[in-house]
Amino acid sequence: MLTVLLASLHGKAAESGAVPVRFTDVTAAAGIRFTHNAGRTGKKWLPETMGSGVAFFDADGDGKLDALLLNGKDWIARGRHTTAALYKGNGGTFTDITRGSGLDIEIHGMGVAVGDYDNDGRDDLYITAVDGDHLFHNEGGGHFRDVTKDAGIQNARFGSSAAWLDYDRDGKLDLFVSNYVQWTAEGDLWCSLDGSAKSYCTPESYKGSSAKLFHNLGNGKFEDVTDKAGLGEANSKSLGVVVFDYNADGWPDIFVANDTQPNKLYRNLGNGKFKEEGLAAGVAFGEDGVARGAMGADYADYDRSGRPHLAVGNFANQMIGLYHNEGNGLFVDEAPRSAIGRASLLSLTFGLFFFDYDLDGLPDIFAANGHLEEEIGRVQPKIQYAELPLLFHNAGGGKFDPVPAFSKPLVARGAAYGDFDGDGDLDILVSNNNGPAALYRNDGGNRNHWLQLKLTGTKSNRSGIGASVRVTSAQGRQWQAVHSGSSYCSSSDLALTFGLGKDAVAGTVEIDWPSGKHQKLTNVKADQRLAVTEQ
């Protein structure tokens, strides 16, 4: 069991001796024994570098977080049978329940989105794959049924990240799917780092593929409305998706992280259509006006401005993007002038999310890193194949401090957070491309007070996705929204965790549901997981 100590810095509070937080590698101790199969052939095929995602969710409805780790498969038969792994959470440990779950099928899995699309009270799964996506209906008790064909969903376009959203606010979850590039084993291209040996090609070598939007018709059926909604873009090479209401008009908008193509920001017009505004908003390109290799992404109100800001993981030598929402439709990338930019310059970031690891009320940033090419050090000595995860502590005032939280380099891809042991603070699950997964337990974050909210919609979608929550305590006001997607190919717990610092009570908890209903709770005690149903 590996334990890493990190100082939990709280600005001026650090001078008075802030309580330290530990991230402890408990992968084996918790019962997770999973190794990702990239399906390597020795031919350096592009998909071998990309997979795959992870998820924290409640598969069996017992109130404890379960874990899903996606897997690849052998492109050339070797007699192995590798599938995703579903682990039942026991409140601190896990039991492998993959066999017979319905998820034990061989696919070249990429991403997972969690949401109750039929409002039956159980979390369903949409899993993207290089060789064709799958929609799994949760049958209860940790069992899933593949309903892809019956649902009318067809997507075999190298799917990556996906997200559930109710874009038309009709109470039924719709589905957005990012697609990467047009690749086949027969059409794999020859590329080289040194002009002699084959290397993995960058996405510039391949044609793009449009993302997809599937509208939920009810009765388990979906309709492809991509073009009708104005989202068809054949040149996209999408790896990340963030659903958030960036202009606070009540309608969910969509940010798409593109690899070597301009990022997209689709504004929801409220009539079933979207308008692309990435260039005008300042999120399409890097500061130099060049499209970057964008991977995972997430959003949060990290400075208590009441506005959602973006973080985007990028390729090595490009640094993480930290786009501050100015509130006038414009974002400004603050990373080049911050510690985040300097610390992440040499990293290749896939999984990326905001979470409050020390529960001080300010969202921090975690980045899962790892390069694509094992031999990258031969041509770029400063770049490593396996890289350390990065953790940035929110010091307040829009400033982030790098924290040396991890000592083992990974070829990391997907990453998700969730309180798997039920102690109030947020833990981390990371996938390792062609290697073992890593589970990091947060030890000490719960020395500050906290409040977890699990929302259930009635008129709104049952998952509560799109609901906006404002929590007020003595230290101030915080804001979060329930959202699917984000990070890279992964799904974090849909419950919202608010750090309250030294405040033992939240004076008010206000919820704005997608249906338009407003709900208010008063004098809510800290240190509890509270289930709230739309009234």
Side-chain angles (χ1 to χ4, degrees):
M1 183 183 295
L2 174 66
T3 301
V4 182
L5 176 66
L6 59 114
S8 177
L9 302 176
H10 295 259
K12 292 184 179 179
E15 299 174 4
S16 60
V19 175
V21 175
R22 297 176 185 268
F23 276 105
T24 305
D25 185 339
V26 296
T27 315
I32 290 183
R33 294 169 179 82
F34 174 85
T35 298
H36 177 257
N37 175 17
R40 292 183 177 180
T41 63
K43 298 181 179 180
K44 300 250 178 177
W45 286 351
L46 178 64
E48 299 169 8
T49 68
M50 304 305 297
S52 55
V54 298
F56 276 127
F57 75 115
D58 188 358
D60 53 4
D62 66 353
K64 298 183 180 70
L65 281 186
D66 308 306
L68 176 69
L69 298 104
L70 299 188
N71 212 344
K73 65 177 183 180
D74 289 333
W75 290 103
I76 298 174
R78 297 177 181 175
R80 294 189 297 179
H81 183 76
T82 55
T83 74
L86 179 63
Y87 286 92
K88 174 180 172 57
N90 306 311
T93 61
F94 292 92
T95 302
D96 190 337
I97 59 169
T98 309
R99 182 173 294 181
S101 67
L103 302 177
D104 49 345
I105 61 173
E106 278 199 308
I107 58 174
H108 202 95
M110 287 288 294
V112 54
V114 177
D116 181 4
Y117 74 84
D118 59 350
N119 292 325
D120 66 353
R122 297 188 293 266
D123 287 334
D124 307 302
L125 301 175
Y126 186 83
I127 295 179
T128 64
V130 178
D131 46 350
D133 300 352
H134 295 261
L135 176 63
F136 290 97
H137 182 263
N138 191 332
E139 302 288 293
H143 297 281
F144 294 81
R145 178 167 55 93
D146 191 334
V147 295
T148 316
K149 184 176 180 181
D150 292 341
I153 290 178
Q154 291 184 335
N155 191 63
R157 295 168 172 255
F158 205 146
S160 54
S161 295
W164 295 100
L165 74 161
D166 185 2
Y167 76 91
D168 54 357
R169 293 171 51 183
D170 65 353
K172 300 187 295 291
L173 286 179
D174 312 299
L175 178 66
F176 182 91
V177 183
S178 301
N179 289 313
Y180 194 34
V181 296
Q182 298 180 36
W183 178 91
T184 62
E186 297 76 18
D188 185 78
L189 302 175
W190 192 92
C191 298
S192 178
L193 289 171
D194 57 13
S196 57
K198 188 179 190 299
S199 65
Y200 292 109
C201 291
T202 60
E204 290 102 329
S205 304
Y206 295 95
K207 293 181 179 179
S209 184
S210 178
K212 289 288 185 180
L213 179 65
F214 295 99
H215 179 243
N216 190 337
L217 301 174
N219 299 317
K221 303 292 185 181
F222 290 81
E223 176 190 7
D224 185 342
V225 295
T226 309
D227 293 332
K228 185 190 302 184
L231 297 174
E233 175 52 71
N235 294 323
S236 284
K237 300 175 182 179
S238 308
L239 289 176
V241 57
V242 174
V243 179
F244 69 139
D245 182 8
Y246 80 91
N247 57 356
D249 66 354
W251 295 92
D253 311 301
I254 303 172
F255 171 81
V256 179
N258 276 316
D259 190 1
T260 70
Q261 288 290 313
N263 297 327
K264 304 294 184 182
L265 181 61
Y266 294 104
R267 178 166 62 90
N268 191 331
L269 301 179
N271 59 0
K273 298 183 182 299
F274 292 80
K275 181 181 179 182
E276 206 288 299
E277 297 187 342
L279 180 61
V283 297
F285 301 99
E287 197 176 45
D288 56 2
V290 177
R292 297 193 279 197
M295 315 292 179
D298 197 12
Y299 80 92
D301 177 13
Y302 63 75
D303 60 355
R304 296 197 177 180
S305 63
R307 299 187 296 271
H309 315 292
L310 279 169
V312 182
N314 291 307
F315 206 78
N317 294 312
Q318 293 180 343
M319 74 179 61
I320 289 171
L322 184 64
Y323 295 98
H324 185 269
N325 186 341
E326 301 294 298
N328 55 4
L330 182 67
F331 290 77
V332 175
D333 188 358
E334 297 188 331
R337 292 166 293 281
S338 75
I340 286 181
R342 292 188 295 272
S344 65
L345 179 60
L346 299 181
S347 298
L348 198 167
T349 300
F350 276 87
L352 177 78
F353 53 72
F354 287 98
F355 77 140
D356 186 359
Y357 76 83
D358 56 352
L359 300 172
D360 65 352
L362 295 170
D364 313 298
I365 297 175
F366 174 81
N369 308 307
H371 210 276
L372 307 178
E373 177 57 65
E374 288 177 284
E375 303 299 322
I376 188 63
R378 291 197 297 111
V379 292
Q380 297 187 49
K382 293 183 178 180
I383 307 296
Q384 298 177 334
Y385 177 54
E387 301 175 339
L388 289 175
L390 295 175
L391 185 67
F392 297 96
H393 180 262
N394 189 335
K399 295 183 179 180
F400 291 86
D401 297 319
V403 179
F406 304 95
S407 60
K408 182 180 180 180
L410 302 173
V411 187
R413 295 296 184 258
Y417 61 83
D419 179 14
F420 81 88
D421 53 359
D423 66 353
D425 51 31
L426 295 172
D427 314 296
I428 301 172
L429 181 62
V430 181
S431 70
N432 197 23
N433 190 56
N434 211 52
L439 175 66
Y440 298 103
R441 188 183 65 206
N442 184 332
D443 294 328
N446 60 3
R447 296 184 190 182
N448 277 325
H449 292 296
W450 51 275
L451 180 63
Q452 292 179 358
L453 299 173
K454 177 62 174 176
L455 305 188
T456 300
T458 53
K459 185 177 180 182
S460 302
N461 68 85
R462 188 73 176 260
S463 297
I465 289 173
S468 176
V469 180
R470 286 171 172 78
V471 172
T472 303
S473 65
Q475 65 162 293
R477 196 180 196 193
Q478 303 177 55
W479 167 84
Q480 294 185 47
V482 183
H483 62 288
S484 173
S486 294
S487 188
Y488 169 76
C489 288
S490 298
S491 294
S492 296
D493 184 14
L494 290 177
L496 301 179
T497 296
F498 289 88
L500 299 179
K502 302 307 177 185
D503 300 341
V505 175
T508 60
V509 174
E510 297 180 83
I511 305 169
D512 289 309
W513 297 90
S515 66
K517 289 187 176 182
H518 180 80
Q519 200 164 341
K520 184 176 182 179
L521 310 176
T522 58
N523 297 321
V524 180
K525 291 183 179 180
D527 304 331
Q528 63 171 317
R529 186 178 176 97
L530 186 63
V532 181
T533 301
E534 182 180 12
Q535 300 294 329

